[in-house]
Amino acid sequence: MKSDRERCIALAGVFQAASMAARIAEQGIVDTRSMEASIRSLFEIDAESVESVYGGLQGVESGLRLLHRQLGEKRTDNVLVTQYVIALLHLERKLSRNSSMQQQIREGIQVAEGRIAHFHLLHPNIIAQLADIYTQTISTLKPRVMIKGEPLHLQNPDNVNRIRTLLLAGIRSAMLWRQCGGGKWQVVLGRKKIAEQARRLLHIL
Protein backbone atom coordinates (compact mmCIF):
# COMPACT_ATOMS: atom_id res chain seq x y z
CA MET A 1 0.00 0.00 0.00
CA LYS A 2 1.38 3.36 -0.99
CA SER A 3 1.53 6.34 1.36
CA ASP A 4 -0.86 9.29 1.65
CA ARG A 5 1.88 11.39 0.05
CA GLU A 6 1.99 9.24 -3.07
CA ARG A 7 -1.80 9.09 -3.36
CA CYS A 8 -1.97 12.87 -3.06
CA ILE A 9 0.56 13.35 -5.87
CA ALA A 10 -1.33 10.96 -8.15
CA LEU A 11 -4.67 12.67 -7.44
CA ALA A 12 -3.05 16.05 -8.07
CA GLY A 13 -2.12 14.66 -11.49
CA VAL A 14 -5.79 13.90 -12.20
CA PHE A 15 -6.95 17.33 -11.05
CA GLN A 16 -4.20 19.06 -13.00
CA ALA A 17 -5.08 17.34 -16.27
CA ALA A 18 -8.81 17.92 -15.79
CA SER A 19 -8.28 21.58 -14.92
CA MET A 20 -6.12 22.22 -17.98
CA ALA A 21 -8.65 20.53 -20.26
CA ALA A 22 -11.36 22.77 -18.76
CA ARG A 23 -9.26 25.91 -19.21
CA ILE A 24 -8.53 25.16 -22.87
CA ALA A 25 -12.25 24.63 -23.47
CA GLU A 26 -13.22 27.81 -21.65
CA GLN A 27 -10.35 30.18 -22.50
CA GLY A 28 -8.25 28.49 -25.20
CA ILE A 29 -5.07 28.75 -23.11
CA VAL A 30 -3.00 26.44 -20.93
CA ASP A 31 0.15 26.52 -18.78
CA THR A 32 2.83 24.95 -20.97
CA ARG A 33 5.01 23.66 -18.12
CA SER A 34 2.13 21.88 -16.41
CA MET A 35 0.85 20.46 -19.69
CA GLU A 36 4.27 19.10 -20.58
CA ALA A 37 4.60 17.41 -17.18
CA SER A 38 1.15 15.84 -17.47
CA ILE A 39 1.76 14.57 -21.01
CA ARG A 40 5.22 13.29 -20.14
CA SER A 41 3.59 11.10 -17.47
CA LEU A 42 2.08 9.03 -20.29
CA PHE A 43 5.55 7.82 -21.23
CA GLU A 44 6.77 7.16 -17.66
CA ILE A 45 5.62 3.57 -17.31
CA ASP A 46 8.39 2.15 -15.10
CA ALA A 47 9.19 5.21 -13.01
CA GLU A 48 11.08 4.85 -9.75
CA SER A 49 8.47 6.75 -7.74
CA VAL A 50 5.11 8.44 -8.10
CA GLU A 51 6.57 11.93 -8.18
CA SER A 52 9.15 10.94 -10.79
CA VAL A 53 6.25 10.15 -13.14
CA TYR A 54 5.77 13.93 -13.34
CA GLY A 55 9.47 14.83 -13.31
CA GLY A 56 9.32 15.75 -9.63
CA LEU A 57 6.83 17.56 -7.39
CA GLN A 58 7.10 20.73 -9.47
CA GLY A 59 5.45 18.80 -12.31
CA VAL A 60 2.17 18.66 -10.37
CA GLU A 61 2.45 21.98 -8.56
CA SER A 62 -0.68 23.40 -10.18
CA GLY A 63 -2.55 20.18 -9.38
CA LEU A 64 -1.48 20.34 -5.73
CA ARG A 65 -2.62 23.96 -5.50
CA LEU A 66 -5.95 22.97 -7.00
CA LEU A 67 -6.33 20.11 -4.51
CA HIS A 68 -5.59 22.45 -1.62
CA ARG A 69 -8.14 24.99 -2.86
CA GLN A 70 -10.89 22.56 -3.83
CA LEU A 71 -10.71 20.08 -0.97
CA GLY A 72 -9.57 22.31 1.91
CA GLU A 73 -11.70 24.01 4.57
CA LYS A 74 -11.75 27.31 2.67
CA ARG A 75 -12.47 25.53 -0.59
CA THR A 76 -13.37 27.35 -3.77
CA ASP A 77 -15.01 24.48 -5.57
CA ASN A 78 -14.82 24.36 -9.36
CA VAL A 79 -17.77 22.06 -9.94
CA LEU A 80 -16.94 21.27 -13.56
CA VAL A 81 -13.35 20.24 -12.80
CA THR A 82 -14.55 18.03 -9.94
CA GLN A 83 -17.07 16.41 -12.29
CA TYR A 84 -14.35 15.74 -14.84
CA VAL A 85 -12.12 14.20 -12.15
CA ILE A 86 -14.88 11.87 -10.94
CA ALA A 87 -15.62 10.89 -14.55
CA LEU A 88 -11.94 10.11 -15.20
CA LEU A 89 -11.69 7.99 -12.05
CA HIS A 90 -14.81 6.09 -13.13
CA LEU A 91 -13.55 5.50 -16.67
CA GLU A 92 -10.17 4.32 -15.41
CA ARG A 93 -11.93 1.65 -13.34
CA LYS A 94 -13.60 0.45 -16.53
CA LEU A 95 -10.29 0.52 -18.37
CA SER A 96 -8.63 -1.54 -15.62
CA ARG A 97 -10.99 -4.40 -16.50
CA ASN A 98 -10.31 -4.16 -20.25
CA SER A 99 -6.90 -5.70 -20.93
CA SER A 100 -7.18 -5.46 -24.74
CA MET A 101 -7.84 -1.72 -24.55
CA GLN A 102 -4.92 -1.29 -22.15
CA GLN A 103 -2.68 -3.04 -24.66
CA GLN A 104 -4.00 -0.84 -27.48
CA ILE A 105 -3.13 2.26 -25.46
CA ARG A 106 0.35 0.95 -24.63
CA GLU A 107 1.09 0.21 -28.27
CA GLY A 108 -0.14 3.64 -29.35
CA ILE A 109 2.01 5.38 -26.75
CA GLN A 110 5.05 3.35 -27.85
CA VAL A 111 4.55 4.59 -31.41
CA ALA A 112 4.22 8.18 -30.17
CA GLU A 113 7.33 7.77 -28.03
CA GLY A 114 9.32 6.80 -31.11
CA ARG A 115 8.34 10.08 -32.76
CA ILE A 116 9.49 12.25 -29.85
CA ALA A 117 13.02 11.89 -31.21
CA HIS A 118 11.87 13.92 -34.21
CA PHE A 119 9.28 16.26 -32.63
CA HIS A 120 9.18 17.97 -29.23
CA LEU A 121 6.62 16.69 -26.74
CA LEU A 122 4.05 19.43 -27.34
CA HIS A 123 4.38 19.41 -31.13
CA PRO A 124 0.93 19.30 -32.81
CA ASN A 125 1.85 15.98 -34.49
CA ILE A 126 2.54 14.31 -31.12
CA ILE A 127 -0.55 15.84 -29.51
CA ALA A 128 -2.71 14.71 -32.45
CA GLN A 129 -1.37 11.17 -32.20
CA LEU A 130 -2.03 10.98 -28.45
CA ALA A 131 -5.49 12.49 -28.96
CA ASP A 132 -6.24 9.77 -31.51
CA ILE A 133 -5.32 7.11 -28.93
CA TYR A 134 -7.91 8.65 -26.60
CA THR A 135 -10.52 8.76 -29.38
CA GLN A 136 -9.98 5.12 -30.34
CA THR A 137 -10.04 3.83 -26.75
CA ILE A 138 -11.24 5.80 -23.73
CA SER A 139 -13.74 7.79 -25.78
CA THR A 140 -15.59 4.57 -26.62
CA LEU A 141 -16.30 3.87 -22.94
CA LYS A 142 -19.48 5.14 -21.34
CA PRO A 143 -20.30 7.58 -19.96
CA ARG A 144 -18.01 9.81 -22.00
CA VAL A 145 -16.38 12.88 -20.48
CA MET A 146 -18.30 15.81 -21.92
CA ILE A 147 -16.11 18.91 -21.75
CA LYS A 148 -18.03 22.19 -21.67
CA GLY A 149 -16.67 25.50 -22.90
CA GLU A 150 -16.78 28.26 -25.47
CA PRO A 151 -17.73 27.07 -28.99
CA LEU A 152 -14.96 29.25 -30.44
CA HIS A 153 -12.33 27.24 -28.57
CA LEU A 154 -14.03 23.86 -28.90
CA GLN A 155 -14.26 24.23 -32.68
CA ASN A 156 -10.48 24.61 -32.94
CA PRO A 157 -9.01 21.18 -33.91
CA ASP A 158 -5.74 21.87 -32.06
CA ASN A 159 -7.66 22.65 -28.87
CA VAL A 160 -9.73 19.48 -29.25
CA ASN A 161 -6.54 17.44 -29.61
CA ARG A 162 -5.00 19.09 -26.56
CA ILE A 163 -8.11 18.40 -24.50
CA ARG A 164 -8.24 14.73 -25.53
CA THR A 165 -4.53 14.31 -24.82
CA LEU A 166 -4.94 15.84 -21.37
CA LEU A 167 -7.88 13.54 -20.64
CA LEU A 168 -5.64 10.61 -21.58
CA ALA A 169 -3.04 11.98 -19.16
CA GLY A 170 -5.79 12.27 -16.56
CA ILE A 171 -6.57 8.57 -17.04
CA ARG A 172 -2.87 7.80 -16.54
CA SER A 173 -2.92 9.66 -13.22
CA ALA A 174 -6.20 8.00 -12.25
CA MET A 175 -4.54 4.63 -12.85
CA LEU A 176 -1.65 5.70 -10.62
CA TRP A 177 -4.15 6.85 -7.96
CA ARG A 178 -5.82 3.42 -7.98
CA GLN A 179 -2.48 1.61 -7.92
CA CYS A 180 -1.57 3.68 -4.85
CA GLY A 181 -4.71 2.45 -3.10
CA GLY A 182 -6.95 5.39 -3.93
CA GLY A 183 -10.70 5.12 -4.46
CA LYS A 184 -13.45 7.53 -5.45
CA TRP A 185 -14.88 7.67 -1.93
CA GLN A 186 -11.56 8.91 -0.56
CA VAL A 187 -11.96 12.04 -2.69
CA VAL A 188 -15.28 12.74 -0.93
CA LEU A 189 -14.76 11.39 2.58
CA GLY A 190 -11.05 12.08 2.94
CA ARG A 191 -10.94 15.50 1.34
CA LYS A 192 -9.56 17.32 4.41
CA LYS A 193 -6.75 14.80 4.78
CA ILE A 194 -5.86 15.08 1.09
CA ALA A 195 -5.95 18.89 1.23
CA GLU A 196 -3.61 18.91 4.24
CA GLN A 197 -1.20 16.56 2.46
CA ALA A 198 -1.28 18.86 -0.58
CA ARG A 199 -0.47 21.83 1.68
CA ARG A 200 2.56 20.00 3.10
CA LEU A 201 3.83 19.12 -0.35
CA LEU A 202 3.40 22.70 -1.56
CA HIS A 203 5.47 23.85 1.44
CA ILE A 204 8.37 21.73 0.12
CA LEU A 205 8.33 23.45 -3.29
Side-chain angles (χ1 to χ4, degrees), residues 7-153:
R7 280 192 291 275
C8 181
I9 294 169
L11 188 60
V14 186
F15 269 85
Q16 180 167 294
S19 175
M20 286 189 289
R23 193 173 185 199
I24 291 171
E26 294 164 4
Q27 302 175 32
I29 58 176
V30 70
D31 177 68
T32 302
R33 190 186 74 163
S34 297
M35 183 171 178
E36 185 167 352
S38 289
I39 293 175
R40 191 171 297 282
S41 72
L42 289 167
F43 302 96
E44 297 293 336
I45 306 301
D46 298 313
E48 294 181 357
S49 65
V50 174
E51 65 186 80
S52 66
V53 169
Y54 306 99
L57 278 181
Q58 66 274 13
V60 285
E61 182 177 354
S62 67
L64 289 169
R65 293 192 185 283
L66 191 59
L67 273 185
H68 187 242
R69 288 199 308 268
Q70 297 233 145
L71 304 186
E73 291 183 5
K74 298 179 180 180
R75 62 179 183 263
T76 54
D77 202 13
N78 185 320
V79 177
L80 272 181
V81 170
T82 302
Q83 288 176 352
Y84 299 155
V85 167
I86 297 300
L88 288 170
L89 295 179
H90 179 69
L91 287 174
E92 191 282 326
R93 292 295 297 177
K94 288 193 169 186
L95 175 64
S96 70
R97 297 189 289 267
N98 191 329
S99 57
S100 62
M101 185 175 288
Q102 290 178 51
Q103 182 60 29
Q104 186 178 352
I105 292 172
R106 278 193 294 268
E107 291 174 355
I109 288 175
Q110 285 173 355
V111 172
E113 188 172 24
R115 301 186 70 186
I116 293 177
H118 307 287
F119 301 99
H120 63 80
L121 192 61
L122 300 185
H123 191 282
N125 287 4
I126 300 296
I127 298 299
Q129 189 166 358
L130 293 171
D132 188 59
I133 294 172
Y134 180 85
T135 301
Q136 298 299 323
T137 58
I138 307 300
S139 189
T140 66
L141 300 175
K142 299 293 186 290
R144 296 173 63 185
V145 183
M146 303 301 292
I147 300 293
K148 300 176 182 178
E150 293 295 327
L152 175 66
H153 303 311

Side-chain angles (χ1 to χ4, degrees), residues 1-15 49-51 54 57 60 63-64 67 71 89 173-184 186-187 190 193-195 197-198 201:
M1 183 68 70
K2 298 290 185 179
S3 67
D4 291 340
R5 183 181 192 275
E6 291 167 309
R7 280 192 291 275
C8 181
I9 294 169
L11 188 60
V14 186
F15 269 85
S49 65
V50 174
E51 65 186 80
Y54 306 99
L57 278 181
V60 285
L64 289 169
L67 273 185
L71 304 186
L89 295 179
S173 290
M175 180 179 294
L176 200 57
W177 160 257
R178 178 178 54 79
Q179 290 170 341
C180 289
K184 66 178 181 179
Q186 286 175 270
V187 180
K193 188 176 182 180
I194 294 170
Q197 184 64 61
L201 291 171

